[in-house]
């Protein structure tokens, strides 16, 4: 076997492990990931799975990175072409609602679930979850500031407060979808976002 082929196969195997891990962790949490379970489900040895990551914590961090890639593709990329400020903020919220409505992750928002699982702990996994939320909140704040500067939001709009409220609205939608299976959750979230952004 050529070195190039073996590297490609290793990357393919790692990718398959991550895809399965994201699906499992979405429903059962990052702590629900076990090397034995993944090995059995993927038809691999435990050492074969572990060899791609080195430790359970390294696997969890890689899974968070994969979930972040999926979130960016589902939420940020569709909204990016919208004009900066309020148009992009609206597009981000719509893509965000759609991402939950379509059940991109089987357990709802991957990062809300991870935050509930790790917010009371210390360590690299908690720090990585917090960093993802900080980055997303920063994106919302940036677009809110642009919208206020353009006069599309009231003068003196507190971008941090607006981002806090939008995060709360979408977390409420996620909760209502996941716990209550409410078919009106997305419509309620859209009404709430439109009311907050003035539409």
């Amino acid at each position: 076997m050529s070195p190039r082929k073996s590297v490609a196969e290793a990357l393919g195997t790692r990718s398959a492990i991550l895809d399965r891990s994201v699906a499992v962790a979405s429903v059962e949490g990052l702590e629900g990931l076990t090397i034995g379970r993944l090995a059995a489900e993927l038809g691999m040895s435990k050492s074969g799975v572990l060899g791609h990551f080195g430790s359970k914590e390294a696997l969890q961090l890689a899974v968070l990175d994969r979930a972040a890639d999926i979130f960016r593709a589902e939420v940020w990329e569709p909204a990016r072409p919208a004009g900066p400020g309020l148009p992009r903020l609206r597009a981000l919220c719509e893509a965000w609602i759609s991402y939950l409505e379509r059940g991109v992750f089987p357990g709802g928002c991957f990062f809300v679930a991870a935050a509930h699982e790790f917010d009371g702990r210390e360590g690299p996994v908690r720090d990585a979850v917090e960093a993802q939320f900080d980055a997303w909140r920063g994106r919302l704040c940036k677009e809110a500031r642009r919208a206020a500067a353009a006069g599309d939001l009231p003068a003196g709009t507190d971008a941090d407060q607006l981002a806090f409220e939008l995060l709360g609205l979408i977390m409420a939608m996620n909760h209502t979808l996941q716990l209550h299976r409410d078919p009106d959750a997305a419509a309620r979230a859209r009404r709430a976002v439109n009311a907050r952004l003035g539409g």
Side-chain angles (χ1 to χ4, degrees):
M1 178 184 302
S2 72
R4 185 172 295 170
K5 185 174 181 182
S6 63
V7 168
E9 287 179 354
L11 290 173
T13 300
R14 180 183 169 88
S15 184
I17 295 168
L18 286 173
D19 288 342
R20 184 65 198 134
S21 297
V22 166
V24 170
S26 169
V27 176
E28 299 181 23
L30 287 163
E31 288 295 338
L33 294 174
T34 67
I35 303 301
R37 175 184 180 167
L38 292 170
E41 290 185 6
L42 294 166
M44 298 175 64
S45 67
K46 291 182 184 180
S47 61
V49 172
L50 194 58
H52 285 275
F53 302 97
S55 69
K56 181 174 179 175
E57 184 177 89
L59 170 64
Q60 290 172 328
L61 292 169
V63 168
L64 281 169
D65 285 344
R66 174 61 64 91
D69 289 343
I70 294 168
F71 183 85
R72 275 191 294 275
E74 293 288 340
V75 180
W76 169 242
E77 291 302 327
R80 191 162 55 96
L86 190 59
R88 189 172 292 146
L89 194 56
R90 287 185 182 283
L92 285 169
C93 289
E94 176 53 36
W96 201 4
I97 291 168
S98 173
Y99 143 87
L100 292 174
E101 187 176 34
R102 290 178 291 114
V104 170
F105 292 108
C109 181
F110 191 95
F111 294 99
V112 169
H116 285 296
E117 188 177 6
F118 282 89
D119 61 5
R121 305 183 191 189
E122 298 296 330
V125 178
R126 181 208 182 277
D127 294 345
V129 173
E130 182 181 22
Q132 291 295 337
F133 270 97
D134 286 347
W136 184 239
R137 187 172 47 247
R139 171 58 59 194
L140 295 173
C141 286
K142 182 177 182 179
E143 298 305 336
R145 287 188 194 99
R146 286 175 165 174
D152 293 332
L153 289 174
T157 293
D158 183 334
D160 291 312
Q161 179 66 27
L162 179 56
F164 178 89
E165 292 175 23
L166 292 174
L167 279 163
L169 289 172
I170 303 303
M171 286 183 182
M173 176 189 165
N174 184 72
H175 170 82
T176 304
L177 274 175
Q178 294 302 308
L179 186 62
H180 302 292
R181 308 283 193 247
D182 183 350
D184 296 326
R188 292 181 189 282
R190 287 185 174 100
R191 284 197 297 272
V193 166
N194 283 337
R196 186 60 184 88
L197 296 182

